[in-house]
Amino acid sequence: MGRSYDQFCPAARALDVVGGRWTLLIVRELLLGPRRYTDLAEGLPGIGPNVLAERLRALREAGVVTQAKLPPPAATTVYELTELGAAMRPVVDELTRWGLRLQNVPPRPGERFRIGWLLGCVRAGFRPELARGVSETYEFDVDGDVFHLRVEDGTLDVRYGPATERAAACSVTTDLATFMAIGARLLDIPDVLERGLARVEGGPGAVEAGGRAVSILGGHLDDTGGRYGIIGAVGATFRPEAARGVHETYGFLLGEFAFHARVDDGALQMCPGPADDADVTLSTDLATFLKLGAGTLSLEDAFGTGVATATGDPGAGLRMAAVFGVPFTAAEAAAGA
């Protein structure tokens, strides 16, 4: 088990098992279902293979994790939580809720992002009182990452992968920015369908089921009413290779909500509020901004139709588009779609 606090105390004993670096994040990943070693390595960027192997070994020895063989056709070895390990769920959920209080700053330069890391926030925002008597499964495909939510009479289970145990009441396909905007209540399901930002499949009541899922999962994904969710979504599209040699500040104004991005030779800092020294500022509405981020609308068309404007250096505007992967011409947008 490695180093110990040598204290006869339940809290200290628990930290002996899960208090090491990376250990709780391994538990976080496994709370979303069985994972292969390669899945864990991919979901924990920055962890070394030796460290991952050692942490898994220690968790197995402590009875928190076990290995299992998936049935054919998968027939692969996976790691999964034992009953003891699964009992960590409320601890991790409460830690996530507490961590949301620390989200009063935007993502730091170099911080990575994975859609799976949002799923803990989804679970932490669950409102069981709205799920009494509800027995439904909701499936989401967000930028190619598929997961599903099973609601059963006031309980929630969030899992990687498509729903297989029962048919989903609705299947929502969208991009990260739209998903976060829906979760933040900045857009609702009918809004995103009307604007072409998402696709909903299922039976006749699929759209209503999608709205029910949003209500059950709470009003927002963070304590900022979703504002830092949007900032984080923009930061997640950053392309460091396109920012080499670039030293500029880009402002974004969505109605009354302002934030800005500082780019420094391949590094990014996302900041709330306006920037007095912005090289260029993009002003638009949220729906247009989400379309730009999804690549379904080019800056050229947005400017041409008047749904977006830019003030400042036009050259900086082109570099901003390249840095965040926004198509400039209609042809680029069509290719991206």
Side-chain angles (χ1 to χ4, degrees):
M1 191 165 59
R3 299 178 61 182
S4 171
Y5 287 101
D6 293 325
Q7 296 182 17
F8 188 65
C9 162
R13 186 68 56 85
L15 289 174
D16 283 344
V17 176
V18 298
R21 190 165 186 257
W22 295 107
T23 303
L24 267 180
L25 297 185
I26 292 172
V27 173
R28 178 197 68 187
E29 294 294 303
L30 293 177
L31 282 170
L32 298 171
R35 307 292 279 164
R36 298 172 300 176
Y37 180 91
T38 52
D39 295 329
L40 290 171
E42 182 181 351
L44 297 166
I47 192 171
N50 292 339
V51 173
L52 177 56
E54 191 280 327
R55 296 294 188 272
L56 288 170
R57 179 194 59 77
L59 287 170
R60 289 179 64 193
E61 290 179 354
V64 175
V65 168
T66 187
Q67 281 184 295
K69 191 88 167 179
L70 293 182
T76 186
T77 299
V78 294
Y79 292 90
E80 60 183 1
L81 294 174
T82 63
E83 183 178 353
L84 177 64
M88 285 287 295
R89 186 184 304 275
V91 178
V92 175
D93 286 351
E94 197 56 44
L95 186 65
T96 300
R97 293 187 188 96
W98 185 79
L100 288 172
R101 301 182 184 182
L102 307 179
Q103 294 286 75
N104 58 349
V105 294
R108 294 188 291 264
E111 284 192 327
R112 300 174 175 90
F113 177 81
R114 294 287 188 279
I115 184 65
W117 303 345
L118 273 182
L119 301 186
C121 300
V122 169
R123 196 172 57 234
F126 177 57
R127 299 177 65 184
E129 71 278 7
L130 298 182
R132 304 295 181 199
V134 177
S135 178
E136 288 183 323
T137 297
Y138 314 106
E139 185 175 287
F140 292 86
D141 181 331
V142 180
D143 286 333
D145 287 308
V146 180
F147 59 94
H148 65 280
L149 320 171
R150 293 199 302 256
V151 174
E152 194 66 55
D153 192 21
T155 65
L156 172 70
D157 192 18
V158 183
R159 295 279 173 165
Y160 283 119
T164 56
E165 295 185 3
R166 66 183 178 194
C170 68
S171 296
V172 181
T173 301
T174 189
D175 61 276
L176 175 62
T178 304
F179 175 72
M180 296 184 75
I182 293 170
R185 297 296 182 89
L186 298 174
L187 292 173
D188 59 24
I189 297 293
D191 281 339
V192 298
L193 292 177
E194 181 181 350
R195 300 175 191 277
L197 298 173
R199 184 176 72 252
V200 175
E201 299 174 320
V207 174
E208 291 77 7
R212 193 157 50 248
V214 173
S215 297
I216 288 172
L217 297 176
H220 50 73
L221 290 176
D222 58 38
D223 279 354
T224 66
R227 293 178 297 171
Y228 290 111
I230 293 295
I231 294 178
V234 173
T237 67
F238 179 61
R239 297 180 173 181
E241 69 279 4
R244 304 297 180 198
V246 177
H247 304 271
E248 292 179 326
T249 298
Y250 308 125
F252 301 91
L253 184 60
L254 310 181
E256 297 181 352
F257 175 50
F259 61 97
H260 60 282
R262 297 191 183 278
V263 176
D264 186 11
D265 191 21
L268 173 70
Q269 183 180 10
M270 300 296 300
C271 309
D276 295 334
D277 58 344
D279 294 275
V280 65
T281 297
L282 175 69
S283 301
T284 187
D285 61 276
L286 177 64
T288 300
F289 185 73
L290 293 174
K291 287 184 178 180
L292 291 169
T296 59
L297 177 68
S298 70
L299 275 175
E300 182 183 52
D301 284 346
F303 294 152
T305 56
V307 294
T309 60
T311 56
D313 178 9
L318 291 176
R319 288 186 289 274
M320 175 189 69
V323 162
F324 291 106
V326 177
F328 180 72
T329 67
E332 289 176 316

